[in-house]
Amino acid sequence: MKSEDCTEEEISCKSTLTFEDGRGSYKRRKTSHSWTRDTPALIADGHAWRKYGQKIIHNAKHPRNYFRCTHKYDQACKATKHVQQVQDHPPVFRTIYYGTHKCRDYLKTSELLLDCTSPRDSSQFINFENVNCMTNKQEHPFFASFASSSVKEEVFVKEDMPTTDHMVTSDHNHSSPCDHLVSRDLTAFESSGPMSGFSSSIDQYDHDDVFSGMIAESYFNIYNEVLQYGF
DNA sequence: GATATTTGACCATC
DNA sequence: GATGGTCAAATATC
């Protein structure tokens, strides 16, 4: 794959190159870092998205919708997502997230969650106790907001992915302090019924994308918990 | 008037 | 040439 080694930055850079006619050079994102989520309904994930396109996909019953972060320009947020209904009965919507959110929109809802003070409620939250093994809390205040609960994220690592100090692996033989972050355990949500219909995977990423993916993932779960049960 | 959505066109990749 | 991702003008909504 020619663009296999392209970073998100490079792809974004290429996609914004302009030609004489004012149109850019549009690179496919097939090999860029992404993670996928299937949901039974279209549910807000806490970010402000703006639709910028819709396409009929070959051999697909439903069109694919293209969204970018509302703050693409004012906060240089490069996150995009593609949403497509992949199943009718029951309806399943597949959302593929690309890029990382640089915007701070999610803070609004995290504040809402922080208003929940009872011990019982807090048991529903996610534990990022050791989050600093991946990044610092000051840089990502959202992460710090959920420093007292636990969720696990299963991560699939490409063999040719470069490993760094921050790299998360799916090898559970490694007793890294980050292990609890990389294998998914949704026991906290299993009793939630509808939530069990969700699934997700991180297909490709770098260490920054892992972090953002977990943020979005965790945020997504909590956000919907709040929506459903009014915690 | 500002912002969001729709939709056809453009371009890269397959 | 077919397909998928993005742009941007036109249109809709608030």
Side-chain angles (χ1 to χ4, degrees), chain A residues 183-214:
Chain A
S183 63
R184 164 171 273 201
D185 179 0
L186 290 176
T187 53
F189 298 111
E190 276 176 356
S191 61
S192 302
M195 296 301 291
S196 62
F198 294 125
S199 66
S200 71
S201 65
I202 296 178
D203 300 317
Q204 295 175 331
Y205 55 87
D206 55 21
H207 60 273
D208 188 40
D209 284 332
V210 170
F211 175 78
S212 297
M214 290 194 305

Side-chain angles (χ1 to χ4, degrees), chain A residues 150-163:
Chain A
S150 70
V151 72
K152 296 178 182 176
E153 179 74 38
E154 186 170 4
V155 171
F156 302 94
V157 181
K158 286 190 62 180
E159 289 181 0
D160 57 351
M161 287 293 290
T163 56

Side-chain angles (χ1 to χ4, degrees), chain A residues 8-41:
Chain A
E8 181 196 342
E9 293 288 335
E10 288 167 342
I11 290 167
S12 174
C13 189
K14 286 173 187 173
S15 67
T16 54
L17 290 175
T18 54
F19 292 108
E20 290 179 3
D21 64 355
R23 293 279 181 157
S25 174
Y26 316 124
K27 289 280 186 181
R28 288 190 182 182
R29 283 177 177 261
K30 184 178 179 180
T31 59
S32 66
H33 316 307
S34 67
W35 59 290
T36 304
R37 175 183 297 281
D38 291 342
T39 62

Side-chain angles (χ1 to χ4, degrees), chain A residues 13-14 26 56 75 108 112 114 127-128 131 139 147 163 165 176 180 194 200 212-213 228:
Chain A
C13 189
K14 286 173 187 173
Y26 316 124
I56 301 296
Q75 295 186 39
K108 294 173 189 171
L112 168 72
L114 287 171
N127 188 350
F128 291 127
V131 62
E139 191 175 56
T163 56
D165 292 341
S176 151
H180 72 289
S200 71
S212 297
Q228 284 194 295

Side-chain angles (χ1 to χ4, degrees), chain A residues 104 106 134-143 208 211:
Chain A
R104 302 279 175 164
Y106 49 74
M134 300 187 65
T135 184
N136 69 69
K137 296 176 184 177
Q138 287 181 332
E139 191 175 56
H140 298 281
F142 168 81
F143 229 18
D208 188 40
F211 175 78

Side-chain angles (χ1 to χ4, degrees), chain A residues 1-195:
Chain A
M1 213 48 92
K2 287 168 229 171
S3 55
E4 190 94 30
D5 296 326
C6 284
T7 66
E8 181 196 342
E9 293 288 335
E10 288 167 342
I11 290 167
S12 174
C13 189
K14 286 173 187 173
S15 67
T16 54
L17 290 175
T18 54
F19 292 108
E20 290 179 3
D21 64 355
R23 293 279 181 157
S25 174
Y26 316 124
K27 289 280 186 181
R28 288 190 182 182
R29 283 177 177 261
K30 184 178 179 180
T31 59
S32 66
H33 316 307
S34 67
W35 59 290
T36 304
R37 175 183 297 281
D38 291 342
T39 62
L42 292 172
I43 304 171
D45 56 13
H47 285 287
W49 297 99
R50 177 169 174 172
K51 187 176 181 179
Y52 66 82
Q54 176 176 317
K55 291 285 286 191
I56 301 296
I57 302 302
H58 190 60
N59 290 333
K61 284 179 71 174
H62 304 279
R64 178 176 297 167
N65 297 289
Y66 299 89
F67 298 87
R68 64 168 172 79
C69 181
T70 300
H71 307 291
K72 178 180 180 178
Y73 298 114
D74 59 355
Q75 295 186 39
C77 183
K78 294 169 183 169
T80 63
K81 71 174 182 178
H82 302 172
V83 180
Q84 183 178 8
Q85 185 172 353
V86 295
Q87 187 178 310
D88 279 326
H89 304 292
V92 175
F93 295 87
R94 177 157 297 165
T95 304
I96 305 174
Y97 294 88
Y98 298 92
T100 60
H101 277 283
K102 311 285 187 193
C103 61
R104 302 279 175 164
D105 238 15
Y106 49 74
L107 290 176
K108 294 173 189 171
T109 313
S110 66
E111 287 169 2
L112 168 72
L113 293 167
L114 287 171
D115 286 337
C116 210
T117 55
S118 78
R120 177 188 156 277
D121 289 341
S122 65
S123 69
Q124 300 285 335
F125 290 168
I126 296 172
N127 188 350
F128 291 127
E129 261 179 316
N130 295 326
V131 62
N132 55 349
C133 71
M134 300 187 65
T135 184
N136 69 69
K137 296 176 184 177
Q138 287 181 332
E139 191 175 56
H140 298 281
F142 168 81
F143 229 18
S145 302
F146 298 99
S148 61
S149 55
S150 70
V151 72
K152 296 178 182 176
E153 179 74 38
E154 186 170 4
V155 171
F156 302 94
V157 181
K158 286 190 62 180
E159 289 181 0
D160 57 351
M161 287 293 290
T163 56
T164 70
D165 292 341
H166 304 294
M167 181 53 64
V168 181
T169 76
S170 57
D171 184 354
H172 288 241
N173 293 327
H174 294 169
S175 54
S176 151
C178 298
D179 277 358
H180 72 289
L181 291 170
V182 297
S183 63
R184 164 171 273 201
D185 179 0
L186 290 176
T187 53
F189 298 111
E190 276 176 356
S191 61
S192 302
M195 296 301 291

